[in-house]
Amino acid sequence: MDSDGTQDARGTHADRVPRPAGPPQVPPRPAQAPGAPPMPEGSAFLAWLRAPRPEAAPGVWRFGHRPRPDEEPEAVSNRQLLSGALIAFLVGWLIWSLLWNGYLGGWWLVPLYAMIPDSWAEPGSYTRVVLSYTWYTVVALMIMISVGRLGRWGEVWRRFVTSRLRRERERPVAPPPQRDPAEWPGLRDVGATDAAERLAAEARSGLMRDVDHARITRAWQGVRSGRHSLSTFTGAVLKDGAAACLHPSGERDLPGRLAQHDLVTGQVRLGTTADDKRNPYAYRGTGLGLGPELLGTSLLAVGPAGSGKTSSVVWPLAESLCLHALAGRAAVVVVGAAGAGLGPADAYDVVVRVGNPESVYDLDLYGGTHDPDEAAAVLAEALVGDLTDPHPGGDSRRSTTVLAQLLGPYRAVHGRFPSVPELRQLLDGAPGPLGALRKALTEAGQESLLRELDARERQSGHPGDIGSVLADRVALLDRPAFARFFDTSGQSRPFSLRALDHPVRVRIDLPERGHADASRILARLVLAQFTASVAVREDRSLFACLVLDDATGVVTPEAVRGVQRLRSANAGVVMTLRTLDDVPRPLRSPLLGAIGCRVALSGLTPWDGQDFAEVWGKEWTEATDVTDRQIIAETPLGKTAHAVRRVITGRAPTARAVTVRQVERERWSASELAHAVPPGHAVLSLTSVRGEHAPPLLVDLRG
């Protein structure tokens, strides 16, 4: 069965083709057990849809999750448990045998004869037989209960019997129609029975995918919120079935998937939480799943080259966000170096290859805005944001003012913003362009803009003018490799981050080879445009996320403030760094404080580990101190016994003292982060948009 529901005819006459003679080949493994009926069409999708997804702590992979207790139960091996139960049974049997055969006397029968009249105790009477065996049963039960508690028979029953019965009861069965998600009970409740029947039939026949279910669910939420009409929704479902409400690209899935996704909960599985004593017991052995409710607080991953930042963290998250975009839930912009392994071009709607002549799309240098002041603020952050005072209060207002003094007059005259060469000439103070601009403003009677231009000309001659620095930074973009890019004349197809109002998938490839400084300027530009655009979106129900594969030179005071504002705008940023040394020292603590999800990969330096240890803080733990004190014998007999013991064991007799106390220790120390994280692992902490926290967890990103 193909993806479009048509039957594949290839191989129909395979049985009629004569097979060449040769040694017998091993037949392929059957899809189900021999003799079992074939699985019906769509059974895999229905099993996925009906799988339990209980509520869990932040970061727990909820698909098929079985909750665990918060505290670790007392660990007893199966062998020790069974041997203890058997020994307890034998002890109880021995006690009963001694009592029954009278080796311990008849004292255990005294209560029986003390409670009944003498007439009931006549030998051979029916009453005596009944009462005697009743008393024997009571004594036997008392012995059984005592040895049962001693031998932990209840734990044996729970571990070997109850758990097996529970697994048999938990075999997947179809829920009743009023609770079956495959029957779309929400549509039936409002009378859209025909649409529900069409979707249920598509699911049973195998024509519905997980992306289809998520996309139609999203459209149904739009109907319930009043953004769409019920008649339009039901009409689309009755016409197209599982292909209703398609993404503008017409795609229903990605070309391929590398990670495991669950679009019902919106999670992507990144690995498995290690069974380590430093992890809370409720997390040990569970899958690690991240979704928009966690990415809404932004994520920072720090680790050296080769630690798995891109392959284990960035690409699975980008893939998940692209699936959410196809479902109409998210808009994603992925920024990285060309060839960084961020997925095929077919997985995106827009691919901007800066510096590549074959690129179909261009990048809007001014972010699609028509306000000169806003464009100046974003461009100043991109050009000289890394040169501002790195303290949290630093800003680039002087650079913004300089750019605004040129962008406003130029747009008033030409109806557009200047291109990169034109902006460079204006910042250099070239007399020709400035004179032409002044003449046009004078003819148009723009007195206020003339004053702006006069102020720029007066400042350009003073020492320390920021305009020369801006001109030098713009010169990095005024290179032959970028001649076709950043066009403002309308002859290209520029992409603007104003498009984040729609579920768009965008990848921007930066030309790091030979243009490292220009790539950092463009990365800061995209981040500044992103934080400015998501704050003014009309529809904030659409999650917006920016993925920066390498944020070196991108973190500035304004960037940290922008990240802090993203949570309220239903947006987030995913950033990676090779080391925290790429961030100015005054900004490291504010950055780690603004980010809700922090990931420290293996190979971290102790200096970076110290910053993570400080932000994760300390916790109260139980510390056990064991001391051995030598025993001094006072009597000759005791001294002789100690001497014999010393000869046999080779050690002096000691008495062990155990002290348990509460101490406050770091959750993960800098030394542990630098030396105790195995390859392919990471330590991460999570925070959801609702304020729920997950402590630092050791996670195997390869699991």
Side-chain angles (χ1 to χ4, degrees):
M1 186 69 69
D2 290 341
S3 59
D4 57 354
T6 60
Q7 185 71 30
D8 194 343
R10 291 175 295 178
T12 305
H13 305 283
D15 294 334
R16 304 177 186 176
V17 179
R19 296 182 175 85
Q25 298 181 353
V26 178
R29 182 177 180 180
Q32 60 271 343
M39 297 182 68
E41 292 293 339
S43 58
F45 172 78
L46 294 178
W48 169 83
L49 185 60
R50 293 165 177 167
R53 296 172 175 86
E55 293 294 331
V60 173
W61 175 253
R62 291 173 51 193
F63 179 78
H65 171 63
R66 292 182 178 179
R68 305 180 66 181
D70 295 334
E71 299 294 335
E72 182 178 6
E74 184 178 357
V76 180
S77 64
N78 292 342
R79 179 179 178 182
Q80 181 181 356
L81 186 63
L82 292 176
S83 61
L86 179 60
I87 293 173
F89 173 75
L90 295 177
V91 169
W93 191 4
L94 175 62
I95 294 175
W96 174 252
S97 298
L98 294 176
L99 291 176
W100 182 260
N101 295 304
Y103 291 104
L104 298 181
W107 57 268
W108 61 288
L109 297 175
V110 173
L112 172 64
Y113 295 111
M115 291 186 297
I116 62 176
D118 294 338
S119 59
W120 290 12
E122 295 179 359
S125 65
Y126 177 78
T127 305
R128 178 177 179 174
V129 173
V130 172
L131 292 177
S132 297
Y133 279 94
T134 302
W135 179 249
Y136 300 157
T137 304
V138 172
V139 174
L141 289 175
M142 293 173 62
I143 296 175
M144 185 181 299
I145 293 173
S146 301
V147 299
R149 290 183 177 180
L150 182 65
R152 301 181 179 181
W153 291 1
E155 179 64 23
V156 173
W157 177 267
R158 288 189 296 270
R159 184 176 299 188
F160 296 100
V161 180
T162 307
S163 60
R164 183 170 302 178
L165 295 176
R166 184 184 300 113
R167 285 195 297 268
E168 293 180 357
R169 289 196 302 266
E170 290 178 355
R171 289 179 179 176
V173 295
Q178 63 272 17
R179 294 168 49 192
D180 188 358
E183 297 294 333
W184 298 86
L187 273 67
R188 299 178 188 274
D189 292 342
V190 298
T193 307
D194 295 340
E197 290 290 346
R198 175 67 187 275
L199 294 176
E202 299 268 300
R204 289 190 295 268
S205 61
L207 299 178
M208 182 176 289
R209 306 181 180 94
D210 55 352
V211 179
D212 298 330
H213 180 271
R215 185 185 65 252
I216 296 174
T217 301
R218 165 73 178 179
W220 172 244
Q221 292 174 353
V223 173
R224 298 184 61 181
S225 62
R227 294 195 305 268
H228 311 294
S229 65
L230 179 60
S231 59
T232 303
F233 172 78
T234 55
V237 169
L238 293 176
K239 177 184 177 183
D240 300 322
C245 311
L246 272 180
H247 185 264
S249 65
E251 300 292 336
R252 297 173 61 183
D253 205 345
L254 296 179
R257 301 188 188 184
L258 296 180
Q260 186 177 359
H261 304 271
D262 182 24
L263 292 181
V264 173
T265 60
Q267 291 181 314
V268 54
R269 180 165 182 159
L270 295 188
T272 303
T273 307
D275 190 3
D276 189 272
K277 63 180 181 179
R278 288 168 291 195
N279 288 337
Y281 181 74
Y283 279 94
R284 296 179 193 174
T286 63
L288 177 72
L290 270 65
E293 74 283 353
L294 294 173
L295 297 181
T297 62
S298 298
L299 182 143
L300 174 66
V302 182
S307 59
K309 299 187 299 296
T310 301
S311 60
S312 300
V313 178
V314 173
W315 170 232
L317 292 177
E319 187 178 77
S320 174
L321 292 168
C322 287
L323 289 174
H324 281 288
L326 290 179
R329 296 174 174 177
V332 56
V333 179
V334 181
V335 182
L342 299 176
D346 296 341
Y348 297 91
D349 304 315
V350 177
V351 179
V352 182
R353 298 183 174 95
V354 181
N356 189 338
E358 298 179 357
S359 178
V360 178
Y361 291 92
D362 192 3
L363 183 63
D364 193 336
L365 193 64
Y366 301 98
T369 183
H370 301 294
D371 184 1
D373 293 330
E374 182 180 350
V378 172
L379 191 57
E381 170 64 16
L383 294 175
V384 294
D386 58 327
L387 300 180
T388 58
D389 184 4
H391 290 83
D395 54 40
S396 55
R397 284 180 292 181
R398 289 182 56 198
S399 305
T400 302
T401 302
V402 170
L403 289 172
Q405 290 171 344
L406 297 174
L407 296 181
Y410 191 94
R411 177 171 178 78
V413 172
H414 298 280
R416 61 177 177 86
F417 289 119
S419 62
V420 170
E422 294 168 340
L423 180 60
R424 180 182 180 184
Q425 292 178 351
L426 293 175
L427 290 171
D428 281 334
L434 288 177
L437 186 58
R438 174 181 295 278
K439 179 179 178 182
L441 290 174
T442 303
E443 294 176 354
Q446 298 283 352
E447 297 296 334
S448 60
L449 296 178
L450 276 173
R451 289 194 296 271
E452 291 284 311
L453 195 60
D454 292 339
R456 175 83 287 272
E457 291 180 345
R458 288 194 303 269
Q459 296 170 2
S460 61
H462 293 174
D465 178 40
I466 194 66
S468 60
V469 179
L470 290 170
D472 293 340
R473 288 299 178 91
V474 172
L476 296 174
L477 302 179
D478 189 17
R479 305 299 300 164
F482 307 136
R484 294 182 56 253
F485 288 86
F486 318 121
D487 180 66
T488 58
S489 61
Q491 299 179 358
S492 63
R493 300 177 64 183
F495 168 73
S496 170
L497 269 77
R498 296 281 179 175
L500 295 180
D501 282 332
H502 310 283
V504 64
R505 302 168 294 166
V506 183
R507 194 185 77 188
I508 301 176
D509 294 342
L510 301 180
E512 283 202 350
R513 180 175 297 180
H515 301 280
D517 292 334
S519 296
R520 292 171 184 173
I521 291 175
L522 295 176
R524 288 195 297 270
L525 176 68
V526 174
L527 178 58
Q529 291 182 359
F530 178 81
T531 56
S533 300
V534 297
V536 296
R537 290 186 303 164
E538 295 182 0
D539 183 11
R540 293 194 177 184
S541 64
L542 194 71
F543 179 70
C545 188
L546 172 65
V547 180
L548 285 172
D549 186 42
D550 186 4
T552 302
V554 175
V555 180
T556 65
E558 185 60 34
V560 173
R561 286 192 288 266
V563 170
Q564 292 173 339
R565 296 191 294 265
L566 291 179
R567 185 184 302 189
S568 60
N570 193 22
V573 173
V574 176
M575 296 188 294
T576 67
L577 290 169
R578 294 185 181 92
T579 173
L580 287 176
D581 289 337
D582 294 334
V583 178
R585 167 56 66 181
L587 292 179
R588 295 182 193 177
S589 295
L591 175 65
L592 292 174
I595 297 289
C597 304
R598 313 172 190 96
V599 183
L601 289 98
S602 61
L604 213 64
T605 64
W607 297 274
D608 290 344
Q610 184 62 40
D611 291 322
F612 279 99
E614 290 179 358
V615 75
W616 283 332
K618 300 180 180 180
E619 63 178 348
W620 288 99
T621 61
E622 286 187 353
T624 302
D625 298 330
V626 180
T627 57
D628 290 334
R629 179 179 58 85
Q630 183 176 355
I631 302 175
I632 307 296
E634 301 293 343
T635 63
L637 181 61
K639 293 180 180 180
T640 303
H642 286 188
V644 173
R645 182 176 178 182
R646 187 182 296 108
V647 171
I648 296 175
T649 63
R651 293 182 299 178
T654 58
R656 173 168 295 183
V658 179
T659 304
V660 180
R661 53 194 177 91
Q662 293 284 335
V663 296
E664 191 177 20
R665 291 180 178 175
E666 291 179 327
R667 298 177 183 269
W668 278 83
S669 66
S671 178
E672 290 176 329
L673 290 172
H675 306 293
V677 180
H681 289 63
V683 179
L684 56 86
S685 63
L686 304 172
T687 304
S688 70
V689 293
R690 296 186 298 271
E692 300 172 330
H693 296 271
L697 306 171
L698 178 63
V699 178
D700 184 1
L701 299 177
R702 304 166 300 183

